Amino acid sequence: MPAPTEPIDTETTVPAAMTLPKPLAADGKSSLIGLDVDGLATVIAAVQPASATQVALRARQLFHWLYHRGATDFGAMTTLPKGLRDALALDFSAARPTVTTEQRAADGTRKWLLRFADGQEVETVFIPEEDRGALCVSTQVGCTLSCSFCHTGTMPLVRNLGTAEITAQILVARDALAEWPTAKEGRLFTNIVVMGMGEPLFNYDNTAAALRLAMDETGLALSRRRITLSTSGVVPRIEQCGRELAVGLAISLHAVRDDLRDELVPLNKKWNIATLLDACSRYPTRRPITFEYVMLAGINDSDAEARELVRLLDGIPAKVNLIPFNPWPGAPYACSSNNRIRAFAAIVEAAGYASPVRTPRGRDILAACGQLKTASERQRRQRVAA
Ligand code: SAH
Ligand code: SF4
């Protein structure tokens, strides 16, 4: 270790030719989180040049420490030579972003607010069920799409999350649930739903890289059958997502007529219902596509709309997920009554589609669908309003 009086010049410790990954955590060091085996090999070759075979071996070992064991301290990575561990520790980090707050709802749902190196924040939610548990991952700070019923869409600050920032959400949940090293059986955290803040297909590359890491058998080992990505309908990327990732697909449909969908999900003005359903009919997965339909009293919840929904889905292997509207302060809608939701579901089910009503989870900590908006953002706005 150098003496504290000798600050480390990162320009000289790592060869200039290498572009350093960005810091993720408050330590300001370049983060290894989010790098795949090839990315780790590039880092290793830069900090301690060796033969290609040696570098590849070390990269696989480092990958194992990061994503199978969840190690954050290079000192603990005992299969790596001490010299390499020390060299890595000079400039690189596997530290997590700061967990600013953790909340636990009465129903066991957990929500973490994560702060990244630049001070921006996102929320990640873990939803435990009897025989599985899903982590709801965010892909953007805020969302550019401003769907009229969604709290996230009202956040003024928006940026894409990097691969590291998306991957870190998975690592933080594994840390909190104490599920390192990755076990094949019996773990609480079994599924990922990309349904947090942001539109994942507007941040496709980073989301795809993080999901590839999540699916890697030698690391986080979450199967693609247990990953579902939700989109409001970025049609060109739906096809790419099917071809490259083949994860489960969920579509935020919410309306059966273009005039109403234009209002609820403004992206519909770019890719309308017919174009969207055409892309869905070509999506290559054996799993049915989930169509999400938020139940808004008097807006989209009539029997006629249920019948039209069934007509539209004809020929697409589909399941309809009815989401009771989750309120947020100042929201311009109310949730449909239980009777109305049941009547709507009955029509969809009679046509042969599974039509579960999603139980709202974690409403008391504003962790349910469409309620995410970071606490600091809420406080900021409250201060402005005061
Ligand atoms: N941006 C993506 C993924 C995140 S939203 C998308 O829109 O699909 C996850 C789901 O929650 C979407 O189906 C979204 O339409 C729904 N949702 C948003 N606000 C909601 C609210 N207030 N109540 C219930 N569901 C909501
Ligand atoms: Fe964005 Fe999805 Fe919310 Fe629409 S529903 S504003 S796409 S996060």
Side-chain angles (χ1 to χ4, degrees), residues 119-356:
Q120 293 283 14
E121 295 175 321
V122 293
E123 291 179 325
T124 305
V125 177
F126 179 69
I127 307 146
E129 283 171 40
E130 224 152 76
D131 53 349
R132 46 173 252 163
L135 187 72
C136 182
V137 167
S138 294
T139 54
Q140 296 183 308
V141 175
C143 183
T144 48
L145 287 175
S146 41
C147 298
S148 54
F149 52 88
C150 175
H151 208 194
T152 306
T154 65
M155 280 181 69
L157 288 175
V158 179
R159 75 162 170 82
N160 279 340
L161 297 187
T163 306
E165 293 168 327
I166 300 170
T167 310
Q169 297 172 55
I170 305 172
L171 306 187
V172 164
R174 276 266 164 94
D175 292 346
L177 297 165
E179 293 201 319
W180 299 113
T182 300
K184 282 265 177 278
E185 303 290 331
R187 58 192 190 215
L188 298 168
F189 168 10
T190 55
N191 290 52
I192 291 181
V193 291
V194 187
M195 297 187 182
M197 298 165 68
E199 168 48 58
L201 297 188
F202 273 169
N203 184 15
Y204 179 78
D205 291 344
N206 293 332
T207 301
L211 291 183
R212 281 193 195 97
L213 284 176
M215 292 189 276
D216 193 305
E217 270 291 299
T218 65
L220 292 159
L222 283 142
S223 132
R224 65 165 40 78
R225 282 175 291 109
R226 292 179 172 273
I227 298 178
T228 303
L229 179 146
S230 174
T231 178
S232 57
V234 186
V235 164
R237 295 291 192 183
I238 289 176
E239 195 197 321
Q240 187 179 5
C241 179
R243 203 175 51 240
E244 296 180 353
L245 301 173
V247 294
L249 182 67
I251 300 286
S252 295
L253 191 63
H254 307 316
V256 292
R257 296 187 325 268
D258 279 322
D259 61 336
L260 179 60
R261 195 164 189 270
D262 283 352
E263 219 178 286
L264 299 179
V265 184
L267 191 65
N268 194 65
K269 293 181 200 147
K270 189 145 189 185
W271 293 290
N272 65 15
I273 295 176
T275 316
L276 177 58
L277 293 180
D278 179 55
C280 291
S281 65
R282 287 181 277 107
Y283 192 77
T285 162
R286 266 169 283 158
R287 277 163 70 190
I289 293 175
T290 303
F291 288 88
E292 297 163 286
Y293 199 95
V294 64
M295 298 302 288
L296 304 171
I299 304 281
N300 65 353
D301 61 352
S302 68
D303 286 354
E305 280 158 314
R307 284 192 290 271
E308 179 59 9
L309 176 60
V310 166
R311 198 190 65 77
L312 285 175
L313 296 184
D314 188 34
I316 303 175
K319 146 180 171 189
V320 176
N321 213 329
L322 299 178
I323 316 178
F325 170 66
N326 291 308
W328 38 272
Y333 301 105
C335 182
S336 310
S337 69
N338 286 344
N339 282 347
R340 184 85 301 276
I341 298 177
R342 270 198 292 274
F344 195 100
I347 294 173
V348 178
E349 266 159 24
Y353 295 102
S355 182

Side-chain angles (χ1 to χ4, degrees), residues 34 40 115 169 274 327 369:
L40 295 175
R115 182 181 299 147
Q169 297 172 55
C369 299

